[in-house]
Amino acid sequence: MKTKLCIAALLATTSFTPALAGSMTEAAAELAPAAVAADWSGSYGGLSLGYGSGMYDQGVSALNEDGPNIPVNGAMIGLHYGRNYQNGNTVYGFDIGASTGVDGEVPVGTWGDTWGCGTGECNIDIEGLVTLRGRYGELSNEGKTLFYGTAGLAAARYVGGIYNSAQQGVTETNIGFTAGVGVEHMLQSNISIFGEANYVDLGTLDFGTGGGERYDGVGAFFTARVGVNYHF
């Protein structure tokens, strides 16, 4: 009888052992540390290609004298340098960029309420654009993808007005602001690709003077661009 009881106890102990071992394994798996986000901190530089489009209303804004509307657009190519700082899944920093701009003109004979293109085409040419922006974003996709917002200063060299008249200006510089949103994805530890959309407002663009107040252009434009960054 005693022998039978010992055998039964041994079998019971053996049958419970796998269940106990399985429970310990599952608990150990549950306590495994979470995956660490990719490292975005440090400097980077890159190249971008994009397109800009907008509208400027020419005239003498100081006197509320309206002229023709000038659509501006064009492909844009740019270079930039930036610096990232990271705190967990939060990435913030700044970038400095330089790119080509947008331009446009309307033909002779186009008129607004007061001013028109009587002697030549009305025109605007934003010859070059420089930006200094702050960036702030959050990581997802195990730290490989960054969704961010950006805002800062924008400066441009430009020329415009009415050809063959005193209203045609010379090349000048204006400073305004820019703001946008974007997404960047880390392909490997030092290479990422990005896409973003931005609004650019350079303020009132002053052109020539026809014996009175300055002829100018009031407006803004949007840009969409994609590019690649090298992190170092």
Side-chain angles (χ1 to χ4, degrees):
M1 183 66 178
K2 290 181 179 180
T3 302
K4 292 181 179 180
L5 288 174
C6 290
I7 293 172
L10 180 61
L11 290 174
T13 303
T14 305
S15 64
F16 279 112
T17 300
L20 181 60
S23 298
M24 292 177 65
T25 304
E26 291 172 3
E30 291 175 359
L31 294 175
V36 178
D39 184 11
W40 288 73
S41 60
S43 298
Y44 62 91
L47 170 70
S48 66
L49 297 173
Y51 187 82
S53 181
M55 182 74 69
Y56 279 85
D57 182 14
Q58 286 192 347
V60 180
S61 58
L63 301 177
N64 293 318
E65 295 178 354
D66 189 51
N69 291 321
I70 313 295
V72 294
N73 54 72
M76 303 174 68
I77 182 171
L79 297 170
H80 55 269
Y81 164 83
R83 177 82 181 180
N84 283 330
Y85 302 90
Q86 184 171 353
N87 182 10
N89 283 326
T90 299
V91 176
Y92 55 93
F94 69 90
D95 67 29
I96 302 169
S99 73
T100 57
V102 294
D103 57 34
E105 63 180 37
V106 295
V108 177
T110 305
W111 284 82
D113 294 338
T114 306
W115 291 86
C117 316
T119 60
E121 295 87 350
C122 295
N123 63 96
I124 296 175
D125 184 1
I126 297 174
E127 299 173 339
L129 179 69
V130 176
T131 59
L132 172 59
R133 312 182 305 168
R135 295 204 317 167
Y136 184 91
E138 294 291 331
L139 295 172
S140 66
N141 188 26
E142 298 181 346
K144 295 180 180 179
T145 304
L146 174 66
F147 295 90
Y148 63 89
T150 180
L153 298 176
R157 294 282 286 172
Y158 72 91
V159 66
I162 305 173
Y163 285 132
N164 304 315
S165 76
Q167 281 74 39
Q168 181 67 25
V170 296
T171 300
E172 298 189 44
T173 300
N174 247 40
I175 298 177
F177 72 92
T178 180
V181 294
V183 58
E184 186 172 358
H185 181 71
M186 193 73 75
L187 295 177
Q188 54 189 62
S189 61
N190 61 346
I191 300 291
S192 64
I193 55 175
F194 70 90
E196 63 179 42
N198 296 284
Y199 172 80
V200 182
D201 188 334
L202 298 169
T204 300
L205 306 182
D206 290 328
F207 303 135
T209 303
E213 297 287 346
R214 288 289 293 270
Y215 191 72
D216 55 34
V218 178
F221 58 96
F222 292 89
T223 68
R225 63 180 191 141
V226 295
V228 60
N229 286 328
Y230 177 78
H231 299 256
F232 52 91

